[in-house]
Amino acid sequence: PTAPPTPPPPTAPPTTQAPAPARATCLFWGDPHIQTFDGGRPSFYGEGEFWIVKSSTVHIQGRYMGTPYTHGLAATNRIVLGGPFLKGHVIAVGPLEGRGSGVSVDGHPVLVSLESTYHIHGLATLTYNSEGKLVDEAQKRFGKHIVHMDLPLGVRVTVDRWKNYIDLKMEMSPQPGQDGSCGNFNGRAEDDTTEAIMERVGARVAPDDLLFKKPVEVDFTPEMWKMMLADCPPEKLKLGKSECESELPPSETASKEMNSCIFDHCYGANEHALRYAKSFA
């Protein structure tokens, strides 16, 4: 007799998780609004140094700081790039004026004027000009001062420099173990919330991992304090404090650092917290 046919293997149930794209873009603008590689929209309003991209290959950190126009809520003040993909080199880009201004490679000023180029031999090309599309076209009346960085692993970072803050565009492919303010690049926007990101990578960069020369002195304005006490529900304040105690380095659990972290837990899902903060000025 003929053996019965072998039944086909069972079909795996369909998955709802979209595969991570081969290449995507993360955007930073304003105070700072963020669109992650997966399309998430977290916001970070407290001051300090944050991981933008943390992976085994690419390290990008940002310093978020208040400006005279944001009532203490942070904008992106400066970014620093390093890690294995730059083979020991460190690139820093800040605004046109004030704290953190200028562009440097390994601590030496570069791109001091428009229409200039700097090469890290065999690794990277940095160009400074007025060409290209701004991340925030609403600011175009102030002119274009754009740093373009073509980096290893196909990473391309564009920085729009303004008077006291910067906007960013990062284009890259997913890297091993990637996470940070630009998200974990796994094809899912829903896990790129402010709280989830801080739970995964910490609320601020740990001192031993800092690419900046030293951490900034954190400020927490009266407007932010009044807003948080008046509007953030008590249970969320309590949870935020508990989370921040585990997310902050032990050296940063002083009152201003702690309040800055709790503020992010309270308002990280609100893209327009600045509008509300103005009412407490």
Side-chain angles (χ1 to χ4, degrees), residues 83-84 86-90 106:
L86 286 180
K87 301 186 184 302
H89 293 285
V90 176
D106 300 331

Side-chain angles (χ1 to χ4, degrees), residues 94-116:
L96 296 171
E97 301 177 10
R99 292 186 296 179
S101 61
V103 184
S104 67
V105 174
D106 300 331
H108 304 290
V110 300
L111 306 182
V112 295
S113 61
L114 278 172
E115 309 304 329
S116 56

Side-chain angles (χ1 to χ4, degrees), residues 51-238:
W51 281 106
I52 293 176
V53 173
K54 180 182 183 182
S55 73
S56 63
T57 51
V58 178
H59 296 173
I60 304 176
Q61 296 174 5
R63 173 170 286 160
Y64 307 161
M65 293 181 62
T67 76
Y69 310 102
T70 59
H71 299 273
L73 275 66
T76 308
N77 170 262
R78 190 168 178 82
I79 63 165
V80 180
L81 303 90
F85 88 130
L86 286 180
K87 301 186 184 302
H89 293 285
V90 176
I91 303 170
V93 183
L96 296 171
E97 301 177 10
R99 292 186 296 179
S101 61
V103 184
S104 67
V105 174
D106 300 331
H108 304 290
V110 300
L111 306 182
V112 295
S113 61
L114 278 172
E115 309 304 329
S116 56
T117 300
Y118 183 87
H119 298 281
I120 301 176
H121 184 67
L123 273 182
T125 298
L126 283 60
T127 306
Y128 184 33
N129 57 36
S130 57
E131 300 174 12
K133 184 179 179 180
L134 296 169
V135 175
D136 185 0
E137 285 290 333
Q139 301 298 309
K140 63 183 178 182
R141 66 188 184 278
F142 298 112
K144 295 181 179 181
H145 300 81
I146 305 176
V147 176
H148 310 267
M149 293 181 268
D150 290 297
L151 306 168
L153 302 178
V155 176
R156 182 172 174 81
V157 179
T158 305
V159 182
D160 301 338
R161 303 176 68 206
W162 305 110
K163 184 177 180 180
N164 53 25
Y165 73 98
I166 58 177
D167 293 330
L168 314 171
K169 180 171 74 171
M170 287 151 283
E171 303 166 83
M172 60 187 293
S173 301
Q175 298 299 308
Q178 184 165 334
D179 215 325
S181 296
C182 277
N184 55 12
F185 214 160
N186 65 350
R188 298 171 56 194
E190 64 269 21
D191 61 6
D192 284 347
T193 65
T194 302
E195 291 178 283
I197 290 169
M198 292 198 300
E199 287 170 6
R200 294 194 301 259
V201 301
R204 303 294 185 271
V205 179
D208 290 346
D209 295 329
L210 197 65
L211 293 173
F212 292 87
K213 291 182 179 178
K214 62 179 181 179
V216 70
E217 183 177 342
V218 170
D219 191 19
F220 193 76
T221 63
E223 296 99 303
M224 296 172 74
W225 177 250
K226 287 187 284 187
M227 177 177 169
M228 192 167 70
L229 289 183
D231 186 65
C232 189
E235 62 274 14
K236 195 158 191 175
L237 281 172
K238 183 177 180 180

Side-chain angles (χ1 to χ4, degrees), residues 14-68:
T15 177
T16 57
Q17 180 176 336
R23 188 173 178 84
T25 300
C26 177
L27 302 174
F28 274 59
W29 71 99
D31 50 341
H33 301 300
I34 301 170
Q35 179 177 300
T36 70
F37 290 113
D38 294 326
R41 297 294 295 269
S43 293
F44 297 87
Y45 296 113
E47 291 190 338
E49 289 78 28
F50 293 70
W51 281 106
I52 293 176
V53 173
K54 180 182 183 182
S55 73
S56 63
T57 51
V58 178
H59 296 173
I60 304 176
Q61 296 174 5
R63 173 170 286 160
Y64 307 161
M65 293 181 62
T67 76

